[in-house]
């Protein structure tokens, strides 16, 4: 301490006071640091300590793989109720969005179990099995290949081609689109199995229902319940959102005349839904121009051979009609 009653201080007095001041500050800082470290230790404890506490509480930390195995087992168990099976599929869909998880699902046989779920007699199981598959197929070539080999394409088309609830068909369309996108081999198999005819029939069926709703509203002859059922038909916008406009346009590049004919018919059926997408598709525009030139030459050969209503002339007429609609 300095003597404040005197007006003079030696240099030694000042040095001594300064040293004591620094010492007090360091002690205070040290106390603050110890308090901070104690607080941090309370917030962040060693992993070994946490594991020990979880063990004492019988809490098990599962990996994604373990969770998926558990969900597949729950879905595949004969003792599981319908609600439990659907809940397992619903939870599984969350995990297979990740590419690695989808491939892990494949590695332990879970993908085939879900594919087989498409054969279920329960519409809800079909719906949610397709939901899982659509997520697993998305941008995942390895899973797409295995799905084709596992019969997924055939099973999905059967659901679309038969009488099924609309929600199930929506999920199946989602799964099909994910399976076909950027996968030419699957697209070829889709054509061979009559996929375009199934899709075209589906579009025409739903278009008829939409027309029936408009007619019913005009005539006011239908019950409110029936009108509500018609309003639930949102299949055509779903086709657009899922990417079917682009997929069907890409199929026109196939070399076989018969395949092109079916694609042209499908493009026509989807025109009301996909018109603006088709107009913006530069590749489709180039393909149509190339096909026009090709079939004009083939149609001319038919005329020279005396065929006024030849096959190539009909194809040319379909192309000309589509080009005109897209102007």
């Amino acid at each position: 301490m300095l003597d404040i009653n005197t007006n003079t201080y030696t240099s030694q007095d000042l040095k001594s006071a300064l040293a004591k001041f620094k010492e007090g500050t360091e002690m205070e800082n040290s106390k603050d640091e110890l308090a901070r470290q104690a607080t941090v230790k309370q917030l962040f404890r060693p992993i070994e300590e946490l594991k020990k506490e979880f063990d004492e509480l019988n809490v098990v930390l599962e990996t994604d793989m373990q969770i998926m195995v558990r969900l597949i087992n729950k879905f595949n168990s004969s003792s599981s109720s319908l609600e439990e099976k659907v809940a397992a599929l619903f939870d599984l869909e969350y995990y297979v969005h990740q590419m690695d998880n989808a491939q892990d699902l494949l590695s332990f046989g879970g993908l085939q179990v879900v594919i087989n779920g498409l054969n279920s007699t329960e519409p809800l199981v079909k719906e949610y099995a397709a939901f899982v598959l659509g997520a697993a197929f998305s941008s995942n070539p390895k899973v797409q290949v295995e799905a084709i080999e596992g019969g997924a394409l055939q099973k999905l088309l059967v659901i679309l081609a038969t009488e099924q609830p609309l929600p199930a068909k929506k999920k199946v369309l989602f799964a099909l689109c994910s399976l076909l996108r950027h996968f030419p081999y699957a697209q070829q198999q889709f054509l061979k199995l009559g996929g375009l005819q199934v899709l075209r029939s589906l579009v025409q069926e739903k278009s008829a229902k939409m027309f029936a709703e408009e007619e019913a509203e005009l005539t006011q002859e239908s019950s409110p319940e029936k009108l509500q059922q018609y309003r639930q038909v949102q299949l055509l916008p779903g086709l657009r959102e899922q990417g079917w406009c682009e997929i069907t346009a890409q199929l026109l590049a196939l070399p076989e005349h018969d395949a092109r004919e079916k694609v042209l018919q499908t493009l026509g059926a989807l025109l009301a839904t996909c018109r603006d997408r088709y107009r913006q598709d530069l590749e489709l525009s180039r393909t149509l121009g190339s096909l026009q030139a090709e079939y004009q030459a083939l149609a001319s050969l038919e005329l020279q051979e005396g065929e006024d209503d030849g096959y190539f002339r009909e194809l040319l007429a379909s192309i000309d009609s589509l080009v005109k609609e897209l102007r």
Side-chain angles (χ1 to χ4, degrees):
M1 298 292 292
L2 294 178
D3 184 1
I4 61 174
N5 294 320
T6 178
N7 294 326
T8 60
Y9 309 102
T10 66
S11 61
Q12 188 60 38
D13 290 334
L14 292 172
K15 288 179 181 178
S16 177
L18 183 59
K20 289 179 179 179
F21 175 76
K22 287 182 177 179
E23 182 181 341
T25 302
E26 289 173 356
M27 289 179 63
E28 191 67 30
N29 288 342
S30 178
K31 290 178 181 178
D32 291 344
E33 179 62 21
L34 289 172
R36 189 187 69 80
Q37 290 179 3
T39 302
V40 169
K41 284 183 178 180
Q42 288 179 347
L43 293 174
F44 304 100
R45 291 177 293 165
I47 188 64
E48 292 77 12
E49 184 180 333
L50 290 173
K51 286 181 177 178
K52 182 179 178 181
E53 291 188 10
F54 278 127
D55 288 340
E56 291 172 354
L57 294 171
N58 292 322
V59 175
V60 179
L61 297 176
E62 290 182 296
T63 65
D64 284 1
M65 178 78 150
Q66 290 170 329
I67 292 171
M68 290 193 298
V69 169
R70 175 169 54 80
L71 291 172
I72 284 292
N73 289 337
K74 173 64 73 174
F75 169 68
N76 205 31
S77 173
S78 58
S79 62
S80 295
S81 66
L82 174 61
E83 291 75 15
E84 288 172 329
K85 288 176 181 287
V86 170
L89 289 172
F90 182 84
D91 291 342
L92 184 62
E93 189 271 344
Y94 168 80
Y95 289 95
V96 298
H97 274 286
Q98 295 184 34
M99 181 178 291
D100 291 343
N101 283 347
Q103 293 180 5
D104 285 342
L105 182 72
L106 170 65
S107 70
F108 69 84
L111 182 72
Q112 191 61 52
V113 171
V114 179
I115 290 173
N116 293 340
L118 296 172
N119 291 332
S120 173
T121 56
E122 293 289 348
L124 274 176
V125 172
K126 291 179 180 177
E127 177 183 345
Y128 281 91
F131 190 39
V132 172
L133 293 174
F137 297 158
S138 186
S139 302
N140 205 329
K142 185 176 181 180
V143 177
Q144 288 175 311
V145 170
E146 291 295 332
I148 288 290
E149 294 181 357
L153 182 57
Q154 294 92 325
K155 296 179 194 301
L156 290 168
L157 286 174
V158 166
I159 295 175
L160 276 188
T162 55
E163 189 64 32
Q164 303 288 341
L166 181 63
K169 290 195 174 186
K170 282 184 180 180
K171 292 295 194 300
V172 166
L173 282 169
F174 162 63
L176 264 178
C177 192
S178 297
L179 181 58
L180 299 181
R181 190 178 285 116
H182 308 306
F183 191 6
Y185 177 74
Q187 294 171 5
Q188 291 173 359
Q189 295 303 306
F190 176 74
L191 285 172
K192 288 180 181 178
L193 293 170
L196 280 178
Q197 293 93 314
V198 172
L199 182 62
R200 199 161 58 245
S201 298
L202 196 63
V203 170
Q204 292 166 349
E205 172 192 344
K206 299 309 171 187
S207 297
K209 285 189 176 182
M210 292 173 72
F211 175 77
E213 177 185 351
E214 293 173 0
E215 184 180 35
E217 286 181 332
L218 288 173
T219 60
Q220 297 183 348
E221 290 179 356
S222 287
S223 66
E225 292 80 8
K226 191 168 185 179
L227 281 177
Q228 181 61 29
Q229 290 173 356
Y230 283 134
R231 292 191 181 101
Q232 290 173 353
V233 179
Q234 300 295 327
L235 186 79
L236 299 184
L239 288 173
R240 173 192 171 99
E241 292 162 9
Q242 291 170 3
W244 279 101
C245 300
E246 290 75 14
I247 286 179
T248 50
Q250 291 167 9
L251 292 174
L252 196 57
L254 291 168
E256 299 86 1
H257 299 304
D258 179 61
R260 290 173 178 175
E261 180 186 14
K262 291 169 182 167
V263 174
L264 285 167
Q265 292 169 350
T266 305
L267 292 176
L270 288 171
L271 192 58
T273 302
C274 298
R275 188 186 303 272
D276 60 334
R277 298 287 179 92
Y278 290 160
R279 283 174 172 166
Q280 296 166 12
D281 192 332
L282 297 179
E283 186 61 33
L284 174 61
S285 178
R286 284 192 288 268
T287 301
L288 286 171
S290 174
L291 292 179
Q292 265 186 320
E294 178 181 343
Y295 286 116
Q296 281 171 352
L298 291 171
S300 295
L301 288 175
E302 283 182 330
L303 282 174
Q304 292 173 15
E305 294 173 1
E307 296 183 44
D308 293 337
D309 298 315
Y311 176 67
F312 295 123
R313 188 175 179 82
E314 290 180 6
L315 282 179
L316 178 61
S318 296
I319 295 169
D320 289 344
S321 175
L322 185 59
V323 169
K324 184 178 179 181
E325 289 285 350
L326 297 179
R327 284 175 183 162

